[in-house]
Amino acid sequence: MFVALAPNLIYLPWLRPYVDLTWWQFALLSLPFASLALAIELTLLAGLGMRGHTESRAIHSYYLLVALALLIFNLAIIL
């Protein structure tokens, strides 16, 4: 039963057991939050890149849509 429920500790809103963890376990539990920070940064950079270039709007729009999809996916995992 513990093996089946252990991966769900990352995605359920329970308190995370950060006490007495090794470095790799702490990094694994922090991975969704690091991915969310990278998705926010990517979305901001894609939005700023779209604002500055008028000739290649199609590719910048694609980058912005992919970044927003990544951001929504990460928020769905954490929340």
Side-chain angles (χ1 to χ4, degrees), residues 25-40:
Q25 291 170 332
F26 182 78
L28 187 64
L29 286 174
S30 300
L31 190 59
F33 299 106
S35 179
L36 177 66
L38 289 174
I40 290 170

Side-chain angles (χ1 to χ4, degrees), residues 8-60:
N8 292 331
L9 289 175
I10 295 174
Y11 302 110
L12 293 177
W14 300 339
L15 295 175
R16 289 173 174 80
Y18 286 126
V19 180
D20 297 330
L21 291 178
T22 59
W23 66 270
W24 65 271
Q25 291 170 332
F26 182 78
L28 187 64
L29 286 174
S30 300
L31 190 59
F33 299 106
S35 179
L36 177 66
L38 289 174
I40 290 170
E41 182 181 355
L42 180 65
T43 305
L44 290 174
L45 289 175
L48 290 175
M50 188 174 175
R51 199 174 123 197
H53 296 88
T54 57
E55 65 274 354
S56 60
R57 275 224 196 259
I59 194 69
H60 287 289

